[in-house]
Amino acid sequence: MRHPRDVLLGTKVAAPLPVCDHYSGVEARMRKSLALQADLSEEFGACVFDVTLDCEDGAPVGGERDHANMVAALANQAQSATKRVANSVLPRVAVRVHPVDHPAFEQDLDIIVGGAAAALCHLMIPKVETVADVDRAVRWVDQAAAKSGRTHTLPLHVLIESPGAVHRAFEIAAHPRVQSLSFGLMDFVSSHGGAIPASAMGIQAGESDAGLDQFSHPLVLRAKLEIASACHAHGKVPAHCVVTEFRDAGTVRAAASRASRALGYTRMWSIHPDQIRPILEAFAPAAHEIDLAAEILVTAGKADWAPISFGGKLHDRASYRYFWQVLERAHQTGRPLPDEARTYFSA
């Protein structure tokens, strides 16, 4: 039987990524994050969140070189850790480097990509304004990767953080090396010179304009929708911004659910370990959705993916594609799969 991925997906469908991208910038927290990734990989049988080691906000001023060397060493250690290899679930470790116009950008790439390219799942480039910024990043990334001996291209994720970048989101998303766009909420708000209230950085909507939050302020909501739309137009992954109320699991879960169900995001940032499970739960399909998707796809596979009647409704490859993506999301979030559907992910 042919695999659904080979039959159903076209060139404009984004590659599946873990729904949670967890950021750490301090060495002790980086190590704890990598250990937690290993623990949850063992629990769920899949790597359910990325760990992104942060140079942009994590490196002390004047200590960028030492920080980059430490990050490269941690990425290499995670890749070779015997526990993960024994479980056959490899870690997913990324790095956020400095912006392309920062003095430490090229140094970051020489040290991190040049020394740990094989250990990285992607590289995050912050404060991207134009396609030219992406092109510059690609040149330096590829030069550093070639020195390291990496044999396949390193995907780039980019952070959209200004009104101008939002305006050019479709152009940036169209770049062949870009795998994902993330929304940089706090920089976006601050780039408006006080025209957007500070409440728009959080989740605290009220009746007055001053109480507008990140899900109700028109300019912020518009930016989120532009980025999600640009990603889906070009088969890239839209990653939702942070929730600063990191100790309120209910708020995190509600925000993640709204980002996923209403705004079209398929991935979200975490800035505290307590946010990871609520994000996984919010982005995961419900059990009845998983069961329905599995039944329809198994039936369709037996029909060689021709149209079928199921539950009194017609289904063809358009709906098969949707239900396959439900199963992929279930696998990415560590949800239990029916036995026949589990075989799709056994390799």
Side-chain angles (χ1 to χ4, degrees):
M1 183 184 299
R2 296 181 65 190
H3 197 285
R5 190 183 294 113
D6 299 328
V7 175
L8 302 177
L9 299 185
T11 57
K12 292 296 184 182
V13 177
L17 295 176
V19 301
C20 182
D21 189 8
H22 179 66
Y23 275 70
S24 297
V26 178
E27 182 177 2
R29 293 173 188 165
M30 293 179 186
R31 292 185 182 277
K32 289 181 179 179
S33 299
L34 292 168
L36 180 60
Q37 185 187 68
D39 290 342
L40 292 191
S41 293
E42 184 173 10
E43 176 181 342
F44 292 120
C47 187
V48 292
F49 71 94
D50 288 353
V51 172
T52 298
L53 310 178
D54 192 8
C55 289
E56 185 191 19
D57 290 340
V61 176
E64 290 87 358
R65 177 178 291 276
D66 289 342
H67 193 83
N69 278 306
M70 180 263 293
V71 162
L74 286 178
N76 285 327
Q77 290 169 17
Q79 186 70 19
S80 61
T82 55
K83 180 178 181 181
R84 295 173 179 82
V85 173
N87 289 334
S88 72
V89 179
L90 294 177
R92 286 183 53 88
V93 181
V95 175
R96 175 165 70 166
V97 296
H98 287 86
V100 295
D101 58 355
H102 191 281
F105 172 72
E106 295 172 7
Q107 176 180 269
D108 281 352
L109 297 190
D110 287 342
I111 294 172
I112 297 166
V113 179
L120 302 178
C121 57
H122 66 266
L123 205 68
M124 167 59 77
I125 312 296
K127 293 182 173 55
V128 167
E129 288 290 326
T130 66
V131 171
D133 290 340
V134 181
D135 287 336
R136 179 180 177 184
V138 166
R139 288 194 298 272
W140 278 96
V141 167
D142 287 352
Q143 288 177 17
K147 296 176 184 177
S148 75
R150 184 180 174 111
T151 58
H152 52 288
T153 56
L154 183 62
L156 300 185
H157 293 196
V158 302
L159 193 50
I160 302 298
E161 304 180 69
S162 73
V166 170
H167 176 70
R168 292 179 283 273
F170 280 80
E171 299 171 24
I172 295 168
H175 196 289
R177 286 292 294 278
V178 171
Q179 187 179 56
S180 174
L181 298 187
S182 291
F183 178 46
L185 168 67
M186 301 178 81
D187 278 284
F188 179 81
V189 171
S190 63
S191 70
H192 283 75
I196 299 177
S199 62
M201 297 185 190
I203 300 177
Q204 50 190 25
E207 295 182 0
S208 68
D209 289 345
L212 292 173
D213 73 354
Q214 65 163 281
F215 284 103
S216 59
H217 193 285
L219 285 175
V220 176
L221 188 57
R222 173 182 172 271
K224 290 184 181 185
L225 291 171
E226 285 289 303
I227 291 169
S229 181
C231 285
H232 290 298
H234 294 289
K236 309 301 170 69
V237 175
H240 192 264
C241 59
V242 300
V243 170
T244 56
E245 297 84 352
F246 59 83
R247 292 197 180 277
D248 187 340
T251 295
V252 174
R253 189 178 296 105
S257 180
R258 187 163 183 183
S260 172
R261 303 283 177 172
L263 303 185
Y265 281 80
T266 58
R267 183 169 161 97
M268 183 168 171
W269 283 35
S270 160
I271 54 172
H272 190 278
D274 289 348
Q275 294 185 326
I276 295 172
R277 287 186 185 270
I279 290 172
L280 294 178
E281 293 166 6
F283 276 80
H288 71 273
E289 294 176 307
I290 298 170
D291 290 341
L292 176 62
E295 289 184 60
I296 289 175
L297 287 176
V298 168
T299 304
K302 292 177 179 177
D304 292 326
W305 307 105
I308 62 170
S309 174
F310 187 92
K313 297 180 180 180
L314 174 68
H315 289 280
D316 59 17
R317 293 193 186 188
S319 58
Y320 300 159
R321 185 176 298 113
Y322 169 82
F323 289 114
W324 168 243
Q325 290 163 347
V326 169
L327 290 188
E328 281 197 315
R329 181 73 58 81
H331 177 67
Q332 291 164 349
T333 51
R335 303 303 102 170
L337 294 173
D339 290 341
E340 290 184 289
R342 194 180 304 120
T343 61
Y344 295 139
F345 302 96
S346 60

